[in-house]
Amino acid sequence: MDDLGNRLRRHTEVMFEFNLIRADSPLLEELRGEFLERARQQVEAPLPVEPVEPVEPVELLVLAFFELLVLAFFELALLPSNDDKCHVKPAKLAQKLFVCLARNFGKGFVCRDLRDPPPPPSIYVVMVNSRNAAFAEERAEVEVLFAEAKKFQELGKKMKASMQRLETSGQILQEAMGPVYSNTQPLHVINDNVNKVLAVIETWQKPLEGRGKEENIIREGPSKVGVPTYIASLERVENMLSKLESKPLRVNQQAVDELWHLVRHGNGSLEDLYESTLLANAQKIEPLHFITKQIPFPTLPQNKLSDLASINSFLSSNPSRNLTNAQEANPAVRVYVDIRGSYLCTSLQNLASASVSMSRKKSAGETYRQGTSGIGTYTSGIEGMLIAEWQNLTAIFAREKWGTVFEMTTHQTLTEFAKTLREMNTQIRSSITMDCFLAFEVVDTVNRLASRIDHETGQLKQQLIDALRPIRDTAKLSLPELLDDVRRRIGNMIALPIDGAALPITTEVVVHLQTLVSYPQSLASTLISLGDGNWSSPSAATNISSSSLPSTASNENGVNGNQLIAHYVHDSLDNLLSALEARARIIMKSKALVGIFIANNVAVADRMVRSSDLQPLLLSTSSPFKAEAWRKKGTGAYLDSWREPCAALMDVQYTNRGARPPSGNTGAIDSAAVIKGLGSKDKDGIKEKFKTFNSKFEELCARHREMTSGMERDVRNQLAREIQTLIEPLYARFWDRYHEIDKGKGKYVKYDKGGLATQLANLG
């Protein structure tokens, strides 16, 4: 190895002499080391070589030249290339050059063993000197090239130093970036997550894109942009709000608060418009104007109804929109009820006051006259306004809300109506026998009102019936009270007409009955609640609740209302006549006067019944007025006094004392023969009978004529017929048998049959 190194140094010194290589070349040591290494490898592991022919000196010169050229190529190869991208390592370049030389010069170069001693230096000198002239020009060029190479070599040094510094910095950077690079992957994941979060946030904030436009619409107000447009804008804002609230981001909290404020402002604007619209159409009206002129009651304008309906639908669809009361389902209902309820109540206030004032009696003892209370006008006003209000609210609210809103709206009106009825009831109770007819009129009128409103709306029937309950109780109590009042008043009479004339109470009672039957529905329902016959006792009426009162006069539970009315009328007339008879028998000492008194009152009552609606009512039932029975009772009482002269016309005939006298009109009676057959005592008795008859008959006729002034025409004619029927047959028979008792002198037989008939006829 040392010999090989010496040989290599000798070759190098030769190259130094010919300036083929510079002594300060940094490549020299690397080449020396590389060649020594290759030589070592060939010594330690020699390659098999083929035998070669001996080499000539010229060939050696060429080989030496190429060795030097190889060294030059090695040095130039270490210079930086133009692109400064990479450097070739000496070992690899030497390998490639050896392969290239072997390819160009064949086995002579490759097989040359570096372990052989180099040729002597003289050979190289001879070769160079001989060729120096030829290559002088090329040497100059080579020197120029070497000069340029030197420059490049300096540049290479600098670049090498820079590369070393760069490698040092790169190493430091690599050591520093090692931990950073280990954290790069989590950071990448975090970065991706952040990007995704930002994308989601951007998506969540997308609903806010139209916020400015919606805010402008809401700030302008529904009266400017229109209710439908305003509500649509509010719904879009609420949709934005719901989407933002469903994704609770702190970054959206301010936007949520601002949207909530905007929604509240919009809802408040709608409520204000709703209220102002209702107030603008809630001016007090005068119902009497519409009733008298038969004009339909006013309703809200159609365009306002559509706006109100839209606002109500919007506010009711979401209870959270309520600004005043979070527990209130729909503020539109409250506003509507407050405004329209007050409108109804104030508009009907005048009619309510008029009904109370007109129902007051102007003088004590005055009986209520039908239709003078104003309750009919009041109920007509209520009916018209409530039906008009029903039309309003059905156009605004949903169907399921109609009943509730209608009841709430009319509550104030019905409360005032119930108060009015209570005031009227107080007046009725203060004079129940005179004003009970007002109670029946109110019951009848309110029942019709309840039926009509229930037919139109299906509502408020029970409320109206409840308001009517106090007056229905009074009406129920008045029926037995009327009977008791008649008995009480007649029982308190201290004097009766001396001529037996009919009392005014008879006319009054019949008039009361006529008035009562003009309210058939209310009267029938009251009688049905009392039960048949229970009206005779006031205590029985007070024990029956008004809630049991039926509302119609139709057949309920098998009870016919008209039949009960007929029973009550019949009992009222019997109650009157019974009380009159009982009082007359106490006060009047003459039985005949009692008969005339009874007959007169019966005649008055019967005549009034026949000329009114009572007659067909009584005839249509099984309870006709038993006037004939009372008439016979009165006639019988009067005729009792006429039985005394009739008794004088009674004679005794003995069938065993001669021939039987003819009976009937089978044959003429011979009065002279009858008188002739009598004894003196019998004749005196006959004379006495004629005298008694004459005196009693004349007395009764005179008395009858005195009492005719107090008799009703019907009674007078009736009594005259009854007297004639009683007296004339008896007197005719008696006269036929005994008129010859005074032989026509007229001393005993004062009246013939014709004269008596004339006298009896004059009684009528």
Side-chain angles (χ1 to χ4, degrees):
M1 290 297 294
D2 295 336
D3 183 66
L4 181 60
N6 294 328
R7 292 170 61 188
L8 183 58
R9 279 194 297 272
R10 288 196 298 270
H11 284 291
T12 304
E13 291 173 357
V14 174
M15 286 187 287
F16 287 161
E17 291 178 357
F18 290 94
N19 294 325
L20 295 176
I21 187 170
R22 293 182 298 275
D24 57 351
S25 174
L27 184 60
L28 183 60
E29 291 299 324
E30 293 183 13
L31 289 174
R32 185 180 293 113
E34 181 64 27
F35 276 97
L36 289 175
E37 181 64 22
R38 289 182 63 84
R40 187 181 297 110
Q41 291 176 358
Q42 290 185 13
V43 173
E44 294 177 355
L47 296 174
V49 297
E50 296 179 1
V52 296
E53 296 180 357
V55 182
E56 295 295 329
V58 178
E59 294 176 356
L60 293 175
L61 179 63
V62 173
L63 291 174
F65 174 78
F66 275 103
E67 285 185 15
L68 297 174
L69 186 60
V70 167
L71 294 175
F73 278 132
F74 270 120
E75 187 174 6
L76 292 176
L78 295 176
L79 296 177
S81 61
N82 293 331
D83 52 6
D84 295 333
K85 290 184 178 179
C86 62
H87 298 280
V88 181
K89 292 184 178 182
K92 290 185 179 181
L93 184 55
Q95 178 93 16
K96 290 180 182 180
L97 289 174
F98 276 117
V99 174
C100 182
L101 291 174
R103 187 182 300 118
N104 288 282
F105 297 99
K107 301 177 181 179
F109 178 78
V110 177
C111 295
R112 182 176 179 270
D113 192 354
L114 295 177
R115 292 174 292 183
D116 296 336
S122 60
I123 295 176
Y124 294 108
V125 173
V126 174
M127 288 170 41
V128 173
N129 290 330
S130 62
R131 304 288 292 183
N132 191 30
F135 293 100
E137 185 177 353
E138 286 80 358
R139 178 186 293 181
E141 293 177 0
V142 171
E143 290 178 355
V144 173
L145 291 174
F146 273 111
E148 293 295 330
K150 185 177 182 179
K151 294 179 181 179
F152 283 110
Q153 194 175 25
E154 293 294 332
L155 182 61
K157 291 179 180 180
K158 294 179 181 180
M159 293 182 68
K160 185 176 181 180
S162 297
M163 288 296 294
Q164 290 177 352
R165 290 192 299 271
L166 183 60
E167 288 179 2
T168 304
S169 300
Q171 184 67 28
I172 295 172
L173 181 61
Q174 184 177 4
E175 294 175 356
M177 290 298 295
V180 175
Y181 181 76
S182 63
N183 296 328
T184 301
Q185 292 301 323
L187 291 176
H188 277 296
V189 174
I190 293 173
N191 183 59
D192 292 341
N193 293 338
V194 170
N195 291 335
K196 293 178 182 179
V197 170
L198 291 176
V200 172
I201 292 174
E202 183 178 357
T203 303
W204 288 355
Q205 289 182 333
K206 191 174 182 180
L208 296 174
E209 291 178 355
R211 172 183 169 186
K213 177 182 176 182
E214 306 302 341
E215 184 174 1
N216 292 335
I217 294 175
I218 293 174
R219 295 297 181 187
E220 287 184 7
S223 58
K224 292 184 179 180
V225 300
V227 173
T229 304
Y230 196 82
I231 290 177
S233 178
L234 269 177
E235 288 176 346
R236 290 192 293 270
V237 171
E238 288 184 348
N239 189 29
M240 295 180 192
L241 187 58
S242 63
K243 290 181 179 179
L244 292 177
E245 287 183 333
S246 65
K247 304 171 179 63
L249 295 178
R250 302 181 69 179
V251 69
N252 290 338
Q253 188 60 44
Q254 182 177 358
V256 169
D257 295 340
E258 292 176 356
L259 288 178
W260 262 118
H261 180 73
L262 190 61
V263 168
R264 292 191 184 97
H265 175 76
N267 292 341
S269 298
L270 284 178
E271 290 186 23
D272 293 342
L273 178 62
Y274 186 86
E275 183 175 358
S276 62
T277 302
L278 290 175
L279 286 173
N281 295 274
Q283 302 300 321
K284 178 182 176 182
I285 65 171
E286 186 54 56
L288 188 60
H289 169 75
F290 298 92
I291 295 173
T292 55
K293 294 190 176 182
Q294 297 182 350
I295 303 174
F297 281 81
T299 57
L300 294 173
Q302 189 62 37
N303 60 334
K304 300 299 182 183
L305 285 175
S306 61
D307 288 346
L308 293 174
S310 299
I311 295 173
N312 169 72
S313 177
F314 176 75
L315 294 178
S316 61
S317 62
N318 189 355
S320 63
R321 297 187 177 108
N322 186 2
L323 303 178
T324 57
N325 186 357
Q327 298 179 350
E328 187 176 8
N330 188 357
V333 173
R334 173 184 53 79
V335 174
Y336 186 92
V337 168
D338 292 343
I339 295 176
R340 299 301 294 179
S342 177
Y343 158 75
L344 293 176
C345 186
T346 54
S347 296
L348 292 168
Q349 184 63 47
N350 290 340
L351 291 182
S353 301
S355 298
V356 174
S357 61
M358 292 175 67
S359 64
R360 293 192 180 98
K361 294 191 296 184
K362 297 178 176 59
S363 61
E366 180 183 3
T367 303
Y368 172 76
R369 290 180 293 110
Q370 186 177 8
T372 60
S373 67
I375 187 64
T377 305
Y378 186 24
T379 55
S380 297
I382 291 176
E383 178 184 358
M385 295 199 71
L386 293 191
I387 292 177
E389 198 61 35
W390 174 260
Q391 296 173 358
N392 289 334
L393 65 90
T394 53
I396 296 175
F397 297 95
R399 178 179 292 273
E400 61 272 11
K401 293 289 185 180
W402 289 355
T404 303
V405 176
F406 191 52
E407 290 181 6
M408 295 171 64
T409 304
T410 57
H411 176 73
Q412 189 176 357
T413 300
L414 294 183
T415 300
E416 185 65 25
F417 179 65
K419 178 183 176 182
T420 301
L421 294 184
R422 287 195 299 271
E423 292 180 3
M424 296 177 71
N425 184 60
T426 302
Q427 297 180 17
I428 294 171
R429 280 185 174 269
S430 64
S431 181
I432 190 170
T433 57
M434 296 294 181
D435 294 338
C436 63
F437 316 107
L438 174 58
F440 287 99
E441 180 177 334
V442 171
V443 171
D444 207 31
T445 303
V446 176
N447 278 337
R448 290 197 300 269
L449 171 66
S451 298
R452 289 194 294 267
I453 292 182
D454 181 66
H455 179 266
E456 292 291 334
T457 67
Q459 306 292 330
L460 302 185
K461 185 174 183 179
Q462 187 59 46
Q463 289 87 331
L464 290 170
I465 291 175
D466 292 342
L468 189 60
R469 181 173 288 114
I471 289 188
R472 296 192 74 152
D473 289 341
T474 300
K476 180 188 67 176
L477 182 63
S478 68
L479 295 176
E481 184 64 28
L482 285 173
L483 301 180
D484 189 63
D485 179 69
V486 169
R487 291 191 294 266
R488 184 170 56 252
R489 288 170 61 189
I490 294 175
N492 292 333
M493 291 180 180
I494 58 176
L496 295 176
I498 58 175
D499 56 356
L503 292 176
I505 193 173
T506 300
T507 302
E508 182 182 331
V509 169
V510 178
V511 169
H512 286 179
L513 293 175
Q514 292 173 347
T515 306
L516 281 176
V517 298
S518 63
Y519 310 109
Q521 293 185 351
S522 56
L523 179 60
S525 64
T526 305
L527 291 173
I528 291 173
S529 69
L530 284 171
D532 195 0
N534 290 333
W535 48 74
S536 59
S537 173
S539 60
T542 58
N543 293 331
I544 300 176
S545 172
S546 62
S547 61
S548 64
L549 291 174
S551 59
T552 64
S554 61
N555 190 351
E556 297 191 22
N557 300 325
V559 179
N560 189 298
N562 290 335
Q563 185 72 35
L564 291 179
I565 293 175
H567 288 176
Y568 182 77
V569 171
H570 179 271
D571 289 352
S572 296
L573 294 174
D574 275 351
N575 177 71
L576 168 69
L577 296 176
S578 298
L580 290 175
E581 181 188 18
R583 195 60 181 167
R585 292 186 183 280
I586 295 174
I587 296 177
M588 294 179 176
K589 297 182 179 180
S590 170
K591 193 174 183 179
L593 188 59
V594 172
I596 292 175
F597 178 71
I598 294 173
N600 281 333
N601 285 281
V602 171
V604 170
D606 186 52
R607 184 170 60 249
M608 295 182 68
V609 168
R610 291 177 183 276
S611 62
S612 67
D613 294 337
L614 294 174
Q615 180 68 6
L617 176 66
L618 295 174
L619 291 177
S620 64
T621 63
S622 60
S623 301
F625 175 42
K626 299 177 181 179
E628 191 62 29
W630 281 103
R631 188 179 292 109
K632 288 180 179 180
K633 184 180 288 189
T635 301
Y638 180 75
L639 292 180
D640 281 349
S641 60
W642 288 85
R643 300 188 185 281
E644 188 175 352
C646 291
L649 299 177
M650 300 294 178
D651 61 341
V652 179
Q653 296 183 9
Y654 298 98
T655 57
N656 58 353
R657 294 183 183 180
R660 181 180 179 88
S663 60
N665 296 324
T666 58
I669 299 176
D670 187 359
S671 178
V674 173
I675 294 298
K676 186 177 180 181
L678 296 175
S680 58
K681 187 176 180 180
D682 292 332
K683 291 179 180 178
D684 291 339
I686 295 299
K687 293 177 181 177
E688 188 63 29
K689 285 181 179 294
F690 272 110
K691 289 171 62 176
T692 302
F693 173 80
N694 292 335
S695 62
K696 290 294 184 181
F697 180 74
E698 291 174 354
E699 180 184 352
L700 290 174
C701 285
R703 189 185 302 169
H704 180 82
R705 291 187 181 93
E706 291 176 358
M707 291 187 295
T708 53
S709 60
M711 294 181 186
E712 297 292 328
R713 179 181 295 275
D714 297 341
V715 173
R716 187 167 59 247
N717 294 334
Q718 176 67 23
L719 290 178
R721 288 192 300 272
E722 294 293 335
I723 293 171
Q724 188 174 7
T725 302
L726 178 65
I727 298 295
E728 190 172 8
L730 292 175
Y731 187 81
R733 188 194 68 80
F734 196 80
W735 185 87
D736 286 340
R737 290 181 63 83
Y738 303 113
H739 66 274
E740 290 293 333
I741 193 66
D742 61 353
K743 302 185 182 302
K745 296 179 181 179
K747 181 178 179 181
Y748 299 107
V749 183
K750 192 173 182 178
Y751 305 101
D752 59 7
K753 290 192 292 185
L756 183 66
T758 302
Q759 289 293 326
L760 292 174
N762 291 333
L763 293 177

